[in-house]
């Protein structure tokens, strides 16, 4: 199958437009598959991303620090953090350096959810399973090049 068949469009302005449409379509296709996996533990991809960030942090983080590390910069970080706190997956702590500020940490329940989701890593990796390891490396190089990332 090709993007032409998937969206039933045979003409593109050029290969750049085809690539752009293909990346957007593929991103949405991947996100639907990930939503299914995260939904098993009743969390969204954005909530998963924040929990993953908090688990990897060595110290509590402010919502600004979390936002800077998020994959989706358009997310309303404060609102998502509040939902995680209501679900007891994260908790707020008073900042040690400035008691007027509040930082966020992951809770034991949040760690347990991530442990459960870790069992699905092969399924998540399998979303790109039609690529060889070498093709995945090439794709990463091309995507990094596209963003002028080093």
């Amino acid at each position: 199958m090709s993007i032409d068949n998937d969206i039933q469009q045979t003409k593109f302005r050029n290969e750049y437009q085809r690539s752009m449409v293909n990346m957007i379509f593929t991103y949405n296709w991947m996100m639907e598959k990930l939503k299914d996996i995260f939904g098993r533990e009743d969390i969204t991809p954005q909530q998963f991303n924040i929990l993953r960030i908090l688990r990897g942090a060595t110290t509590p983080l402010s919502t600004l620090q979390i936002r800077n590390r998020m994959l989706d910069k358009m997310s309303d970080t404060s609102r998502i953090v509040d939902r995680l706190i209501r679900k007891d997956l994260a908790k707020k702590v008073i900042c040690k350096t400035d008691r007027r500020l509040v930082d966020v940490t992951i809770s034991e329940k949040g760690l347990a959810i991530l442990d459960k989701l870790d069992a699905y890593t092969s399924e998540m990796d399998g979303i790109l399973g039609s690529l060889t390891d070498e093709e995945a490396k090439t794709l990463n190089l091309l995507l990094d090049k596209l963003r002028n990332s080093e």
Side-chain angles (χ1 to χ4, degrees), residues 23-39:
M23 284 190 288
I24 292 168
F25 182 83
T26 303
Y27 166 79
N28 287 313
W29 173 83
M30 288 188 315
M31 289 309 295
E32 284 304 312
K33 293 188 174 299
L34 290 171
K35 283 178 189 175
D36 287 343
I37 294 169
F38 300 141

PDB file of all heavy atoms in Angstrom, residues 23-39:
ATOM      1  N   MET A  23       3.830  11.802   6.145  1.00  0.00           N
ATOM      2  CA  MET A  23       4.248  11.890   7.557  1.00  0.00           C
ATOM      3  C   MET A  23       3.068  12.198   8.468  1.00  0.00           C
ATOM      4  O   MET A  23       2.943  11.606   9.543  1.00  0.00           O
ATOM      5  CB  MET A  23       5.351  12.933   7.722  1.00  0.00           C
ATOM      6  CG  MET A  23       6.696  12.436   7.243  1.00  0.00           C
ATOM      7  SD  MET A  23       8.054  13.537   7.675  1.00  0.00           S
ATOM      8  CE  MET A  23       7.762  14.891   6.563  1.00  0.00           C
ATOM      9  N   ILE A  24       2.193  13.100   8.049  1.00  0.00           N
ATOM     10  CA  ILE A  24       1.026  13.441   8.867  1.00  0.00           C
ATOM     11  C   ILE A  24       0.107  12.225   9.001  1.00  0.00           C
ATOM     12  O   ILE A  24      -0.344  11.881  10.095  1.00  0.00           O
ATOM     13  CB  ILE A  24       0.267  14.651   8.273  1.00  0.00           C
ATOM     14  CG1 ILE A  24       1.124  15.908   8.388  1.00  0.00           C
ATOM     15  CG2 ILE A  24      -1.087  14.832   8.960  1.00  0.00           C
ATOM     16  CD1 ILE A  24       0.603  17.091   7.578  1.00  0.00           C
ATOM     17  N   PHE A  25      -0.148  11.557   7.891  1.00  0.00           N
ATOM     18  CA  PHE A  25      -1.006  10.375   7.906  1.00  0.00           C
ATOM     19  C   PHE A  25      -0.396   9.287   8.791  1.00  0.00           C
ATOM     20  O   PHE A  25      -1.087   8.663   9.600  1.00  0.00           O
ATOM     21  CB  PHE A  25      -1.216   9.865   6.476  1.00  0.00           C
ATOM     22  CG  PHE A  25      -2.130   8.675   6.384  1.00  0.00           C
ATOM     23  CD1 PHE A  25      -3.502   8.842   6.354  1.00  0.00           C
ATOM     24  CD2 PHE A  25      -1.614   7.385   6.352  1.00  0.00           C
ATOM     25  CE1 PHE A  25      -4.347   7.751   6.275  1.00  0.00           C
ATOM     26  CE2 PHE A  25      -2.453   6.286   6.280  1.00  0.00           C
ATOM     27  CZ  PHE A  25      -3.828   6.469   6.242  1.00  0.00           C
ATOM     28  N   THR A  26       0.903   9.068   8.645  1.00  0.00           N
ATOM     29  CA  THR A  26       1.588   8.025   9.413  1.00  0.00           C
ATOM     30  C   THR A  26       1.617   8.361  10.898  1.00  0.00           C
ATOM     31  O   THR A  26       1.413   7.477  11.743  1.00  0.00           O
ATOM     32  CB  THR A  26       3.018   7.813   8.871  1.00  0.00           C
ATOM     33  OG1 THR A  26       2.925   7.475   7.480  1.00  0.00           O
ATOM     34  CG2 THR A  26       3.739   6.705   9.623  1.00  0.00           C
ATOM     35  N   TYR A  27       1.841   9.626  11.233  1.00  0.00           N
ATOM     36  CA  TYR A  27       1.802  10.046  12.642  1.00  0.00           C
ATOM     37  C   TYR A  27       0.432   9.704  13.246  1.00  0.00           C
ATOM     38  O   TYR A  27       0.356   9.113  14.333  1.00  0.00           O
ATOM     39  CB  TYR A  27       2.084  11.545  12.764  1.00  0.00           C
ATOM     40  CG  TYR A  27       1.741  12.091  14.126  1.00  0.00           C
ATOM     41  CD1 TYR A  27       2.604  11.907  15.201  1.00  0.00           C
ATOM     42  CD2 TYR A  27       0.534  12.756  14.351  1.00  0.00           C
ATOM     43  CE1 TYR A  27       2.291  12.385  16.464  1.00  0.00           C
ATOM     44  CE2 TYR A  27       0.219  13.231  15.608  1.00  0.00           C
ATOM     45  CZ  TYR A  27       1.083  13.041  16.661  1.00  0.00           C
ATOM     46  OH  TYR A  27       0.763  13.502  17.914  1.00  0.00           O
ATOM     47  N   ASN A  28      -0.626  10.061  12.569  1.00  0.00           N
ATOM     48  CA  ASN A  28      -1.970   9.788  13.087  1.00  0.00           C
ATOM     49  C   ASN A  28      -2.248   8.294  13.179  1.00  0.00           C
ATOM     50  O   ASN A  28      -2.868   7.834  14.136  1.00  0.00           O
ATOM     51  CB  ASN A  28      -3.024  10.497  12.229  1.00  0.00           C
ATOM     52  CG  ASN A  28      -3.019  11.988  12.473  1.00  0.00           C
ATOM     53  OD1 ASN A  28      -3.009  12.450  13.605  1.00  0.00           O
ATOM     54  ND2 ASN A  28      -2.994  12.760  11.398  1.00  0.00           N
ATOM     55  N   TRP A  29      -1.762   7.529  12.213  1.00  0.00           N
ATOM     56  CA  TRP A  29      -1.897   6.065  12.234  1.00  0.00           C
ATOM     57  C   TRP A  29      -1.181   5.480  13.454  1.00  0.00           C
ATOM     58  O   TRP A  29      -1.728   4.642  14.172  1.00  0.00           O
ATOM     59  CB  TRP A  29      -1.339   5.509  10.917  1.00  0.00           C
ATOM     60  CG  TRP A  29      -1.248   4.032  10.832  1.00  0.00           C
ATOM     61  CD1 TRP A  29      -2.244   3.154  10.507  1.00  0.00           C
ATOM     62  CD2 TRP A  29      -0.079   3.229  11.067  1.00  0.00           C
ATOM     63  NE1 TRP A  29      -1.767   1.865  10.519  1.00  0.00           N
ATOM     64  CE2 TRP A  29      -0.431   1.888  10.863  1.00  0.00           C
ATOM     65  CE3 TRP A  29       1.235   3.521  11.429  1.00  0.00           C
ATOM     66  CZ2 TRP A  29       0.472   0.845  11.012  1.00  0.00           C
ATOM     67  CZ3 TRP A  29       2.141   2.492  11.573  1.00  0.00           C
ATOM     68  CH2 TRP A  29       1.756   1.169  11.364  1.00  0.00           C
ATOM     69  N   MET A  30       0.043   5.950  13.712  1.00  0.00           N
ATOM     70  CA  MET A  30       0.799   5.460  14.869  1.00  0.00           C
ATOM     71  C   MET A  30       0.119   5.864  16.178  1.00  0.00           C
ATOM     72  O   MET A  30       0.041   5.067  17.112  1.00  0.00           O
ATOM     73  CB  MET A  30       2.239   6.005  14.852  1.00  0.00           C
ATOM     74  CG  MET A  30       3.105   5.374  13.796  1.00  0.00           C
ATOM     75  SD  MET A  30       4.859   5.813  13.900  1.00  0.00           S
ATOM     76  CE  MET A  30       4.835   7.558  14.167  1.00  0.00           C
ATOM     77  N   MET A  31      -0.372   7.094  16.248  1.00  0.00           N
ATOM     78  CA  MET A  31      -1.009   7.561  17.480  1.00  0.00           C
ATOM     79  C   MET A  31      -2.266   6.758  17.803  1.00  0.00           C
ATOM     80  O   MET A  31      -2.540   6.486  18.974  1.00  0.00           O
ATOM     81  CB  MET A  31      -1.335   9.056  17.397  1.00  0.00           C
ATOM     82  CG  MET A  31      -0.105   9.945  17.447  1.00  0.00           C
ATOM     83  SD  MET A  31       1.019   9.604  18.827  1.00  0.00           S
ATOM     84  CE  MET A  31       0.010  10.032  20.222  1.00  0.00           C
ATOM     85  N   GLU A  32      -3.021   6.359  16.800  1.00  0.00           N
ATOM     86  CA  GLU A  32      -4.203   5.529  17.041  1.00  0.00           C
ATOM     87  C   GLU A  32      -3.796   4.194  17.654  1.00  0.00           C
ATOM     88  O   GLU A  32      -4.444   3.701  18.579  1.00  0.00           O
ATOM     89  CB  GLU A  32      -5.006   5.320  15.757  1.00  0.00           C
ATOM     90  CG  GLU A  32      -5.817   6.524  15.343  1.00  0.00           C
ATOM     91  CD  GLU A  32      -6.775   7.003  16.424  1.00  0.00           C
ATOM     92  OE1 GLU A  32      -7.513   6.168  17.000  1.00  0.00           O
ATOM     93  OE2 GLU A  32      -6.794   8.213  16.695  1.00  0.00           O
ATOM     94  N   LYS A  33      -2.737   3.608  17.165  1.00  0.00           N
ATOM     95  CA  LYS A  33      -2.248   2.339  17.707  1.00  0.00           C
ATOM     96  C   LYS A  33      -1.751   2.520  19.147  1.00  0.00           C
ATOM     97  O   LYS A  33      -2.018   1.684  20.012  1.00  0.00           O
ATOM     98  CB  LYS A  33      -1.159   1.762  16.812  1.00  0.00           C
ATOM     99  CG  LYS A  33      -1.706   1.341  15.456  1.00  0.00           C
ATOM    100  CD  LYS A  33      -0.690   0.592  14.647  1.00  0.00           C
ATOM    101  CE  LYS A  33      -1.283   0.047  13.369  1.00  0.00           C
ATOM    102  NZ  LYS A  33      -2.375  -0.901  13.537  1.00  0.00           N
ATOM    103  N   LEU A  34      -1.050   3.619  19.403  1.00  0.00           N
ATOM    104  CA  LEU A  34      -0.559   3.886  20.764  1.00  0.00           C
ATOM    105  C   LEU A  34      -1.710   4.192  21.723  1.00  0.00           C
ATOM    106  O   LEU A  34      -1.688   3.756  22.875  1.00  0.00           O
ATOM    107  CB  LEU A  34       0.458   5.023  20.750  1.00  0.00           C
ATOM    108  CG  LEU A  34       1.798   4.686  20.100  1.00  0.00           C
ATOM    109  CD1 LEU A  34       2.650   5.938  19.946  1.00  0.00           C
ATOM    110  CD2 LEU A  34       2.538   3.625  20.896  1.00  0.00           C
ATOM    111  N   LYS A  35      -2.720   4.919  21.253  1.00  0.00           N
ATOM    112  CA  LYS A  35      -3.885   5.209  22.099  1.00  0.00           C
ATOM    113  C   LYS A  35      -4.547   3.927  22.569  1.00  0.00           C
ATOM    114  O   LYS A  35      -5.002   3.830  23.708  1.00  0.00           O
ATOM    115  CB  LYS A  35      -4.905   6.074  21.344  1.00  0.00           C
ATOM    116  CG  LYS A  35      -4.529   7.521  21.234  1.00  0.00           C
ATOM    117  CD  LYS A  35      -5.583   8.271  20.425  1.00  0.00           C
ATOM    118  CE  LYS A  35      -5.118   9.658  20.108  1.00  0.00           C
ATOM    119  NZ  LYS A  35      -6.052  10.383  19.223  1.00  0.00           N
ATOM    120  N   ASP A  36      -4.611   2.931  21.682  1.00  0.00           N
ATOM    121  CA  ASP A  36      -5.191   1.639  22.057  1.00  0.00           C
ATOM    122  C   ASP A  36      -4.395   0.999  23.193  1.00  0.00           C
ATOM    123  O   ASP A  36      -4.972   0.458  24.140  1.00  0.00           O
ATOM    124  CB  ASP A  36      -5.214   0.689  20.861  1.00  0.00           C
ATOM    125  CG  ASP A  36      -6.262   1.067  19.831  1.00  0.00           C
ATOM    126  OD1 ASP A  36      -7.184   1.842  20.156  1.00  0.00           O
ATOM    127  OD2 ASP A  36      -6.154   0.579  18.685  1.00  0.00           O
ATOM    128  N   ILE A  37      -3.074   1.065  23.106  1.00  0.00           N
ATOM    129  CA  ILE A  37      -2.226   0.466  24.141  1.00  0.00           C
ATOM    130  C   ILE A  37      -2.347   1.238  25.454  1.00  0.00           C
ATOM    131  O   ILE A  37      -2.578   0.648  26.515  1.00  0.00           O
ATOM    132  CB  ILE A  37      -0.753   0.407  23.667  1.00  0.00           C
ATOM    133  CG1 ILE A  37      -0.625  -0.558  22.474  1.00  0.00           C
ATOM    134  CG2 ILE A  37       0.170  -0.019  24.815  1.00  0.00           C
ATOM    135  CD1 ILE A  37       0.715  -0.506  21.766  1.00  0.00           C
ATOM    136  N   PHE A  38      -2.242   2.564  25.414  1.00  0.00           N
ATOM    137  CA  PHE A  38      -2.321   3.366  26.638  1.00  0.00           C
ATOM    138  C   PHE A  38      -3.708   3.301  27.261  1.00  0.00           C
ATOM    139  O   PHE A  38      -3.861   3.354  28.481  1.00  0.00           O
ATOM    140  CB  PHE A  38      -1.929   4.819  26.371  1.00  0.00           C
ATOM    141  CG  PHE A  38      -0.528   4.977  25.843  1.00  0.00           C
ATOM    142  CD1 PHE A  38      -0.250   5.900  24.861  1.00  0.00           C
ATOM    143  CD2 PHE A  38       0.516   4.197  26.320  1.00  0.00           C
ATOM    144  CE1 PHE A  38       1.039   6.052  24.366  1.00  0.00           C
ATOM    145  CE2 PHE A  38       1.804   4.343  25.833  1.00  0.00           C
ATOM    146  CZ  PHE A  38       2.067   5.270  24.852  1.00  0.00           C
ATOM    147  N   GLY A  39      -4.726   3.164  26.409  1.00  0.00           N
ATOM    148  CA  GLY A  39      -6.091   3.077  26.898  1.00  0.00           C
ATOM    149  C   GLY A  39      -6.317   1.860  27.787  1.00  0.00           C
ATOM    150  O   GLY A  39      -7.211   1.867  28.637  1.00  0.00           O
TER     151      GLY A  39
END
